[in-house]
Amino acid sequence: MIMKGLQCVSASKTPAVVVLSESMEPGFKRGDVLLLHMSKDPIRAGEVVVFDDGRPIPIVHRVIELHERRNNKTLDLLTKGDNNSLDDRALYTPGQLWLHEHHIMGRAIGFVPYVGWITIIMTEKAFAKYLIIGGLCLLVLFSQK
């Protein structure tokens, strides 16, 4: 229910994402949680966006270039991680040179440092997931009177 409320407030199907790599350092570090909003305002170069072009995990990067098509008023966007030397064209679907507005899941409007490490640890270290879940189960069992 909290997630649905956040989706309504943020106008994004994904109101928060965890930064999973070092590609956005020094601005955002691995493990930071980005808070997203999907505004009606035009996207601008320099904004940090989260995009999904069919990969299992959305990508958090900065818009570095925009082109507006005059014939149908659509935007072509090019993104890049702040810590990367090259733009993201190699990450896009093969043959795709630009992202389009429908690829954008949200724009970063804030962040909470380090909170996402819980997700990273539980994803990358299976034993940690079972340890945490087991610990929570024990806590529930033994906290009952």
Side-chain angles (χ1 to χ4, degrees):
M1 204 148 155
I2 292 171
M3 188 65 148
K4 286 293 181 191
L6 289 173
Q7 287 174 341
C8 289
V9 170
S10 71
S12 174
K13 69 177 183 176
T14 309
V17 294
V18 176
V19 178
L20 298 175
S21 73
E22 293 86 14
S23 68
M24 285 303 292
E25 288 186 358
F28 301 112
K29 298 192 180 340
R30 187 168 193 243
D32 289 351
V33 173
L34 295 184
L35 307 174
L36 305 180
H37 185 265
M38 198 57 202
S39 164
K40 300 276 187 215
D41 296 332
I43 296 171
R44 293 192 166 93
E47 284 190 271
V48 174
V49 297
V50 175
F51 67 88
D52 178 10
D53 66 344
R55 292 174 171 265
I57 299 173
I59 297 174
V60 177
H61 280 175
R62 190 175 306 277
V63 175
I64 60 168
E65 198 173 323
L66 292 167
H67 291 282
E68 184 176 346
R69 295 183 182 202
R70 294 181 190 184
N71 57 350
N72 59 6
K73 298 289 186 193
T74 60
L75 277 180
D76 292 334
L77 302 101
L78 182 62
T79 56
K80 176 184 168 296
D82 291 352
N83 199 25
N84 296 347
S85 56
L86 300 174
D87 62 44
D88 290 342
R89 286 189 171 133
L91 298 176
Y92 301 161
T93 304
Q96 181 180 350
L97 298 177
W98 301 91
L99 291 176
H100 305 289
E101 287 181 282
H102 70 272
H103 292 116
I104 305 301
M105 298 173 63
R107 304 169 184 198
I109 58 167
F111 75 102
V112 182
Y114 310 115
V115 174
W117 272 106
I118 297 166
T119 302
I120 291 172
I121 290 169
M122 288 181 61
T123 303
E124 293 181 358
K125 310 281 187 215
F127 76 90
K129 178 179 6 183
Y130 298 118
L131 190 66
I132 291 169
I133 292 171
L136 289 172
C137 289
L138 290 173
L139 181 68
V140 168
L141 287 173
F142 291 112
S143 66
Q144 304 281 330
K145 288 186 179 183

